[in-house]
Amino acid sequence: MEIQPALPTYDNLFEPTIKALKALGGSGNVREIYEKVCEIQEFSEEQQSILYKEGPQTAIYARLSWTRLYLKNYGAIENSGRGFWSLTEKGRNLQVIDKREIKQVSQPRKSKDSIKLDEAQPDALIPVDSNLWTEKLLSILQKMPPDAFERLCQRILRASGFIKVQVTGKKGDGGIDGIGVLRISLLSFQVFFQCKRYSGSVGPAEIRDFRGAMVGRTDKGLFITTGTFTTEAKKEATRDGAPALDLIDGEQLSLILKDLKLGVETKTIEVVDIDENWFNHL
């Protein structure tokens, strides 16, 4: 049986999360906070690849969702928009992190702030801010046949302004799944893309392989995955002296599908409120 490297529990991520937000200037989105915490904690590639249960979220990502909820209820951080968090005055002035006090003061109410999954697990509850709809969507995407997922990525690129998008899917081509042309004003760029149905994290090796297949053919590359990218993979994608690659992870992919209305529909619920006093004054 393979022994997984130990990960800190959500309460041991209180302090790194506060430090991460301070390092980011007091605010940041979920992705920025995640990356900064991984940097502060020096999480290895292997640790960043550990899945929460069977995925698609990684364990660190899921635990940080729980961490943010506690810190929010404690009054140390607040979220002013989708996935955007900032330190409150209390959080900015917080010098000592008392885990016991934070948990006692900010214990979330199960009926409102979380969904029960498994009492036997230390991460038994996933906070509302974890965007459970993206988990369902990514689970569906990961079950798609490879060629169907490639066609989906082709459709996304076309809907995003690419032209001449072709799916190649050639074996032994370094993972290049297709080619498209992005036209911006008077200029156009040939872009190679790779699309991977991943549970977990894409590491730097996959980025290097993809770039190697591009050398001498184009300078623009796009890597799309249902998983995440490790810190080292992101560094490799923007390494000095090498063509920069654009990365789209599972969370970004979900939001793109929602914005483009491709298989994802946002419904507005009408709430009818009756003002009884209005009738009493007739």
Side-chain angles (χ1 to χ4, degrees):
M1 181 178 178
E2 183 180 356
I3 300 176
Q4 296 281 18
L7 290 175
T9 54
Y10 72 87
D11 53 339
N12 284 317
L13 292 172
F14 289 155
E15 185 170 358
T17 298
I18 295 295
K19 286 183 176 180
L21 280 166
K22 288 181 177 180
L24 291 168
S27 63
N29 60 39
V30 170
R31 193 182 318 281
E32 291 171 326
I33 297 169
Y34 171 83
E35 292 176 1
K36 184 59 68 173
V37 168
C38 287
E39 178 184 325
I40 291 172
Q41 294 296 100
E42 298 182 344
F43 288 132
S44 67
E45 296 286 298
E46 187 177 6
Q47 286 175 309
Q48 293 180 54
S49 298
I50 298 174
L51 295 178
Y52 174 77
K53 297 184 182 295
E54 297 180 358
Q57 282 191 347
T58 63
I60 296 174
Y61 193 96
R63 292 185 185 187
L64 281 172
S65 295
W66 197 224
T67 299
R68 290 192 301 272
L69 180 58
Y70 266 95
L71 290 175
K72 175 184 177 181
N73 290 350
Y74 184 65
I77 65 175
E78 60 186 0
N79 59 322
S80 55
R82 184 181 65 189
F84 185 82
W85 294 82
S86 58
L87 290 169
T88 62
E89 183 177 358
K90 181 177 181 178
R92 289 192 296 271
N93 297 327
L94 203 58
Q95 300 298 322
V96 178
I97 305 294
D98 187 331
K99 294 186 293 183
R100 181 176 298 180
E101 179 187 359
I102 292 175
K103 289 194 288 186
Q104 287 178 343
V105 171
S106 60
Q107 177 67 44
R109 292 175 294 175
K110 294 182 181 180
S111 61
K112 180 179 179 181
D113 296 324
S114 54
I115 295 178
K116 185 175 180 179
L117 295 178
D118 184 353
E119 289 286 7
Q121 298 294 329
D123 291 317
L125 305 170
I126 290 187
V128 168
D129 92 293
S130 62
N131 287 333
L132 292 176
W133 70 270
T134 64
E135 292 186 32
K136 180 179 179 180
L137 175 58
L138 291 175
S139 178
I140 293 172
L141 296 180
Q142 287 166 357
K143 294 175 183 176
M144 293 179 68
D147 57 340
F149 185 64
E150 290 173 357
R151 289 195 298 272
L152 173 64
C153 292
Q154 179 185 41
R155 186 164 178 177
I156 289 172
L157 295 181
R158 283 174 172 159
S160 300
F162 281 72
I163 60 174
K164 299 180 181 179
V165 185
Q166 298 178 2
V167 173
T168 58
K170 296 179 182 178
K171 293 185 178 180
D173 201 15
I176 293 176
D177 294 314
I179 304 171
V181 175
L182 177 61
R183 182 177 294 279
I184 302 177
S185 187
L186 300 177
L187 303 176
S188 60
F189 306 92
Q190 187 179 58
V191 181
F192 283 17
F193 64 89
Q194 184 179 58
C195 35
K196 291 288 187 183
R197 296 169 304 125
Y198 262 61
S199 288
S201 300
V202 176
E206 288 89 344
I207 302 298
R208 286 191 290 268
D209 290 344
F210 181 41
R211 179 183 283 125
M214 290 170 42
V215 173
R217 303 166 70 181
T218 185
D219 291 330
K220 303 293 182 182
L222 179 63
F223 198 123
I224 305 171
T225 180
T226 54
T228 59
F229 295 97
T230 66
T231 302
E232 291 303 314
K234 293 171 185 175
K235 289 180 180 178
E236 178 61 33
T238 56
R239 177 168 54 85
D240 289 342
L245 301 180
D246 288 296
L247 308 179
I248 296 178
D249 64 14
E251 181 183 359
Q252 290 174 296
L253 178 59
S254 298
L255 294 175
I256 289 171
L257 287 170
K258 184 172 76 70
D259 291 341
L260 294 175
K261 296 181 173 59
L262 295 176
V264 183
E265 182 181 358
T266 302
K267 295 182 178 180
T268 302
I269 300 176
E270 182 180 22
V271 178
V272 178
D273 185 22
I274 299 175
D275 183 359
E276 187 174 349
N277 290 327
W278 186 88
F279 294 94
N280 291 335
H281 289 87
L282 289 176

